[in-house]
Amino acid sequence: MAADSAPPGEVSTELRMKRLFARFVAFGYLAYFLVLASDIADSARSTSAWWLPLAVVAVFAPALGLVVAAAPERPHRLGLAVSAAAAGFLLAVATWPLAWDGREVDIDHGVWLSTIPGLPALAVAIVWPPLPTIALLATTIVGAQLVNAVLRVNPPNIFVEIPWSFSFTLLYTCAALMALRTARLLDRTRSSAEATAATASAREAQQVERARIDGLTHDWVMSALLAVGRTPDDPGVVRQAEEAIRQVEQLRSEGLSDAPFDAEAAAAHLRSAAAAVDAQLGIELEVVSASSYPAEVVRAMGAALAEALRNSLRHAGSDADRAVALRVEPRSLTAVVTDDGRGFDPAAVPPERLGVSIGIQGRMRQLPGGAAAVTSAPGVGTSVRLTWQAA
């Protein structure tokens, strides 16, 4: 089975769908076993004693494998479980001629194998590509219907029975294949959107950083110019002007590089990202570390912080109060955005609303060690917590 790609800590839609189908098919095997129990027992009258136990185990035991493989910690076993389901049914059909004693049976309905030829195909649809799945479906139907035609005293017309059975079960098999394909497309679309958001984050982070640099440049240059205007011949003023020029050159050459941020620079960037969205915002800042932080981390967190604030401005209500708490610690960064606005139910947000899932959570998931948690409820406000922890 191909590995399912998903952000760290999150299960992909495709894998969730596979687990659901595995449980559904396993339940189908159990239900049919209970319904067909008497027919299965009757089939012993026309076969050798060894065949019935072999057939029952081969056909129905893989359902237990599907249940086990559907467990969250064992998705890699789904491929083995569905292949066992396919092989078991084919084994039962292939060995039946060896066990048949040559007697025909006078029954009005088909033998039990001809009742469930679509179940193996539904099982393998969880993992196999469409063409092998449909080929298996055709094989199981032809084999089961041939057994049905040979065993019964008054067999149905196989040239009618086989196409009808194939077309009927094909509908369910194709529905399963399409559902899983849709899940894969959803995962790919989401990954693409998150990658696009990450690119936008880098661009937005550069704009925030450039604005910070421009602001600092303005302050230093203006300070130096004012000092020169007051006392142009003062050696201290000359040194101040030289230091301002040096600082400006350093900022412009290194400010947008990939060099790590120190604690003060990281705090300044996050504070600037928040202030760029809401200049009147109350920001609580605590720096308890002298560590350095990857530039990618600081900029992505700044972009996610800005998106969280924009969401609050759009949705919390015009009279809502909001605040930001920033904490810079050894090997970790934390930013919390809170408001006392109208709030919402995070589970009810439609998939097409990408502000939270892509703009905030998607950006943080792109970072190794990054995470975002949104806590809200109608009428009680919203809290968005962004964290990054070094590996």
Side-chain angles (χ1 to χ4, degrees):
M1 181 182 65
D4 294 283
S5 60
E10 182 168 333
V11 178
S12 69
T13 304
E14 180 183 5
L15 183 52
R16 288 198 298 270
M17 186 70 74
K18 286 179 176 181
R19 290 174 181 169
L20 177 64
F21 268 84
R23 296 187 184 100
F24 171 77
V25 174
F27 176 79
Y29 271 100
L30 174 61
Y32 272 111
F33 177 75
L34 296 176
V35 170
L36 297 173
S38 61
D39 291 340
I40 293 173
D42 289 342
S43 67
R45 294 180 299 174
S46 59
T47 57
S48 301
W50 59 266
W51 181 81
L52 185 59
L54 172 68
V56 170
V57 171
V59 172
F60 293 102
L64 298 176
L66 287 172
V67 173
V68 172
E73 66 276 8
R74 296 178 178 176
H76 58 285
R77 297 188 178 180
L78 274 171
L80 179 62
V82 303
S83 297
F89 192 91
L90 294 175
L91 176 64
V93 172
T95 55
W96 181 85
L98 302 176
W100 185 42
D101 61 10
R103 288 182 298 166
E104 295 179 335
V105 179
D106 186 11
I107 54 177
D108 294 329
H109 54 277
V111 298
W112 65 274
L113 284 174
S114 67
T115 307
I116 56 172
L119 276 180
L122 282 176
V124 301
I126 299 171
V127 176
W128 289 13
L131 287 180
T133 299
I134 294 173
L136 174 69
L137 177 64
T139 303
T140 56
I141 286 175
V142 170
Q145 291 299 334
L146 287 176
V147 171
N148 196 36
V150 170
L151 182 62
R152 294 173 61 178
V153 174
N154 298 307
N157 186 336
I158 61 171
F159 295 105
V160 174
E161 195 72 12
I162 289 177
W164 184 91
S165 181
F166 180 76
S167 60
F168 179 76
T169 53
L170 182 64
L171 293 175
Y172 295 97
T173 304
C174 287
L177 291 168
M178 290 301 297
L180 289 164
R181 179 177 180 273
T182 301
R184 284 192 293 271
L185 290 176
L186 178 60
D187 286 334
R188 291 171 188 168
T189 301
R190 182 176 182 178
S191 297
S192 176
E194 290 184 355
T196 301
T199 302
S201 293
R203 190 179 302 114
E204 182 178 350
Q206 288 185 341
Q207 293 173 351
V208 170
E209 184 72 357
R210 187 175 290 111
R212 183 179 74 87
I213 292 172
D214 290 344
L216 293 173
T217 301
H218 175 270
D219 292 343
W220 287 335
V221 170
M222 290 301 297
S223 176
L225 288 175
L226 289 173
V228 168
R230 288 194 298 268
T231 54
D233 298 327
D234 187 343
V237 171
V238 173
R239 287 194 299 273
Q240 180 182 354
E242 291 173 347
E243 177 63 15
I245 293 172
R246 188 188 70 81
Q247 293 288 347
V248 168
E249 289 299 325
Q250 181 179 354
L251 275 175
R252 290 196 177 278
S253 62
E254 299 179 2
L256 297 179
S257 73
D258 292 330
F261 284 61
D262 61 26
E264 293 296 335
H269 180 88
L270 295 177
R271 187 167 47 199
S272 299
V277 178
D278 186 352
Q280 307 302 318
L281 186 68
I283 300 177
E284 177 186 339
L285 173 62
E286 184 177 4
V287 179
V288 295
S289 168
S291 301
S292 62
Y293 307 89
E296 177 190 11
V297 168
V298 177
R299 289 169 181 156
M301 181 171 278
L305 173 60
E307 181 64 23
L309 283 169
R310 281 192 288 268
N311 278 352
S312 178
L313 288 170
R314 285 194 295 264
H315 305 300
S318 58
D319 58 344
D321 293 325
R322 58 189 54 82
V324 170
L326 305 174
R327 185 174 175 84
V328 180
E329 300 179 274
R331 301 175 61 80
S332 70
L333 297 171
T334 304
V336 181
V337 179
T338 57
D339 67 58
D340 59 358
R342 59 175 62 102
F344 66 100
D345 179 5
V349 177
E352 63 270 15
R353 291 276 299 277
L354 302 180
V356 173
S357 63
I358 301 300
I360 299 174
Q361 294 172 325
R363 280 179 167 124
M364 295 305 297
R365 279 196 298 261
Q366 294 290 321
L367 302 174
V374 179
T375 304
S376 185
V380 298
T382 300
S383 173
V384 178
R385 183 180 183 85
L386 311 175
T387 58
W388 172 80
Q389 179 69 50

